[in-house]
Amino acid sequence: MDPVIYFDNNATTRLAPEALEAMQPYLTGLYGNPSSIHGFGSQVARKIQAAREQVAILLGAADPVEIVFTSCGTEGDNAAIRGILDSQPDKRHIVTTQVEHPAVLSLCQHLEKKGYRVTWLRVDGNGMLDLDELKDSLTDDTALVSIMYANNETGVIFPIEAIGEIVKARGIPFHVDAVQVAGKMPLNLKQTPVDLLTISAHKFHGPKGVGALYVRRGITFRPFLVGGHQERGRRGGTENVAGIVGMGKAAELALKDKPEEERRVRALRDRLEKSLLESCPDSRVNGDNEMRLSNTLNMSFKFLEGEAILVLLDQYGICASTGSACTAGSAEPSHVLRAMGVPPDWIQGAVRFSLSCYTTEEEVLSVNQKVPSIVQRLSGLSALGKLAKKQELKRGDHGDQVGARR
Ligand code: PLP
């Protein structure tokens, strides 16, 4: 039995036992270097090639040669953006969105400081983009468009095919951060107008410390990690062999029973959503209802602190999140919810529940039972807090109190 009730699968997922089994020989006996000439090394190189084929199938890529193994999603995003900018030094404009993961957001903020002009596309209240705004933002100076496929905090899915058509009609390279999509939704890059696409193994039951960047054949791309000739000179450094083998296995598993599995997870997520909306009066869902990953539920509880809810859930062994793993623990409200214009009374009270193929009905039931009582308890405390504040103000003790509240 699991020691935890795990609803934080957009942060990371459990390693599939089959992936662990596939990795084990490459952590023990089969330790040869895949770049070696001898047979002991070249059998490892063949296994990497097999994993490349498995990942290419998951992405619906035309050719396994389009897959470059990396160390994580953050590296893939950095390699794609920097690699494309480096290959067009005369172009100085980047288009991205206000709701990207920090792997893209922080890099683009950094590039802005270095003199690049960045267009930050806005989203509406449902978290959706305005494609006319995208169209209007493209210029002859645009070096790259980088847009995520699905948002890690809300699960909102962007219409990548339509976006790609707009971008490719202008002949501009298009990078997609698909870290939250690989293994959850079917991908068919043969027929999707995307030039580069980032994925990360630990988001679909593969190991941590390994990812992949899809680079369409014919795209000029300068390597981010310059070193040896690994990955055909596109990413230097001795390969994380066991990680790559595990990622290949996880990619293969992700395609197994996919439609049924997705339906099952969606039904569990919907049951959770319906029940929490009914049992917690001041609650709302953040993110589009239709265009949303089937495993993701981002809910806000009015006037409450999401972090307080998480601490109390943790006492029951329930793991959830306030949003991005990389911003959890920071006092700043989510940049994604802010961009969506979520009102101040609701924004701090956001909690993300993200499910996986391992989530069970019993676990959903357990969350459905615990959350309402936690919310009720915190709402009581929050009401008492407001009453105390009112009494202090009545006593004329306002100056410090108002300041402290900020
Ligand atoms: N992009 C998105 C959308 C993500 O959700 C994440 C991780 O949460 C990343 C990039 C970074 O991936 P990694 O943790 O593998 O560096």
Side-chain angles (χ1 to χ4, degrees):
M1 258 308 274
D2 229 335
V4 294
I5 299 174
Y6 193 72
F7 280 78
D8 201 11
N9 286 281
N10 286 9
T12 197
T13 59
R14 162 206 289 234
L15 180 66
E18 297 91 333
L20 174 63
E21 196 188 333
M23 291 166 72
Q24 253 151 359
Y26 299 90
L27 291 165
T28 50
L30 297 176
Y31 55 82
N33 189 321
S35 297
S36 299
I37 299 287
H38 47 71
F40 187 57
S42 47
Q43 66 177 319
V44 176
R46 281 196 296 278
K47 192 68 186 175
I48 288 182
Q49 190 50 24
R52 203 182 303 284
E53 284 162 23
Q54 287 165 314
V55 172
I57 293 171
L58 177 70
L59 301 187
D63 191 336
V65 89
E66 296 174 311
I67 308 301
V68 179
F69 286 114
T70 62
S71 66
C72 59
T74 303
E75 185 193 322
D77 287 339
N78 273 259
I81 294 173
R82 289 182 182 274
I84 289 294
L85 295 180
D86 265 9
S87 62
Q88 309 165 90
D90 50 324
K91 299 204 173 181
R92 309 290 293 172
H93 177 225
I94 304 162
V95 176
T96 187
T97 79
Q98 293 185 348
V99 296
E100 296 299 309
H101 184 274
V104 169
L105 193 88
S106 303
L107 174 60
C108 290
Q109 284 167 342
H110 169 77
L111 292 167
E112 216 169 18
K113 287 196 193 112
K114 294 276 171 197
Y116 280 90
R117 190 168 72 80
V118 179
T119 299
W120 300 96
L121 299 173
R122 293 170 300 178
V123 293
D124 65 16
N126 286 337
M128 296 304 292
L129 287 172
D130 174 354
L131 298 194
D132 287 331
E133 192 187 354
L134 165 70
K135 228 180 260 171
D136 294 343
S137 72
L138 305 176
T139 73
D140 292 342
D141 191 39
T142 308
L144 168 76
V145 175
S146 181
I147 292 183
M148 68 198 326
Y149 208 134
N151 190 274
N152 44 301
E153 295 192 30
T154 59
V156 169
I157 301 165
F158 287 150
I160 286 303
E161 292 208 6
I163 294 171
E165 272 157 28
I166 294 169
V167 176
K168 295 318 298 167
R170 294 291 300 261
I172 297 166
F174 182 32
H175 166 246
V176 172
D177 175 342
V179 167
Q180 290 296 342
V181 164
K184 293 178 188 153
M185 275 170 59
L187 288 162
N188 185 1
L189 292 178
K190 274 188 230 97
Q191 281 162 22
T192 314
V194 165
D195 297 313
L196 302 109
L197 182 135
T198 299
I199 65 169
S200 182
H202 73 104
K203 304 288 186 179
F204 58 95
H205 306 290
K208 292 171 184 59
V210 60
L213 176 64
Y214 161 86
V215 183
R216 186 178 287 280
R217 257 180 320 189
I219 289 291
T220 316
F221 159 85
R222 295 259 168 87
F224 175 49
L225 279 188
V226 180
H229 295 295
Q230 292 91 351
E231 300 298 288
R232 295 176 170 239
R234 294 171 299 178
R235 198 266 187 188
T238 301
E239 298 86 342
N240 170 3
V241 177
I244 290 171
V245 172
M247 182 177 192
K249 190 67 191 176
E252 185 189 301
L253 293 169
L255 286 172
K256 245 171 76 187
D257 306 329
K258 201 64 220 158
E260 296 94 285
E261 201 45 62
E262 205 208 326
R263 267 197 293 279
R264 192 189 73 85
V265 170
R266 184 184 295 278
L268 287 179
R269 190 276 312 266
D270 288 349
R271 193 178 313 164
L272 180 65
E273 177 173 324
K274 187 167 178 285
S275 162
L276 292 183
L277 282 172
E278 280 169 7
S279 54
C280 306
D282 277 333
S283 61
R284 57 171 264 170
V285 175
N286 300 312
D288 196 84
N289 206 27
E290 295 301 314
M291 293 292 280
R292 182 150 51 101
L293 290 173
S294 53
N295 80 318
T296 306
L297 170 61
N298 186 312
M299 286 192 76
S300 276
F301 301 92
K302 199 175 185 185
F303 296 129
L304 302 189
E305 295 281 338
E307 295 211 353
I309 299 174
L310 294 187
V311 169
L312 294 182
L313 281 174
D314 198 32
Q315 291 178 353
Y316 298 109
I318 297 172
C319 306
S321 165
T322 53
S324 160
C326 304
T327 48
S330 92
E332 278 290 296
S334 146
H335 70 286
V336 175
L337 301 185
R338 255 186 303 160
M340 287 164 64
V342 173
D345 291 347
W346 294 91
I347 203 162
Q348 294 282 12
V351 176
R352 180 188 69 190
F353 300 97
S354 45
L355 290 70
S356 85
C357 59
Y358 294 111
T359 307
T360 63
E361 279 192 47
E362 292 71 36
E363 288 175 319
V364 169
L365 202 64
S366 179
V367 175
N368 273 338
Q369 281 168 351
K370 296 294 183 294
V371 172
S373 59
I374 288 174
V375 165
Q376 201 177 15
R377 198 169 136 197
L378 290 173
S379 300
L381 289 177
S382 138
L384 281 177
K386 273 185 223 134
L387 196 64
K389 192 104 13 198
K390 260 192 199 154
Q391 284 168 345
E392 280 162 1
L393 287 170
K394 258 194 201 152
R395 287 200 307 267
D397 201 10
H398 14 296
D400 284 347
Q401 301 306 320
V402 173
R405 222 164 56 203
R406 284 193 196 125

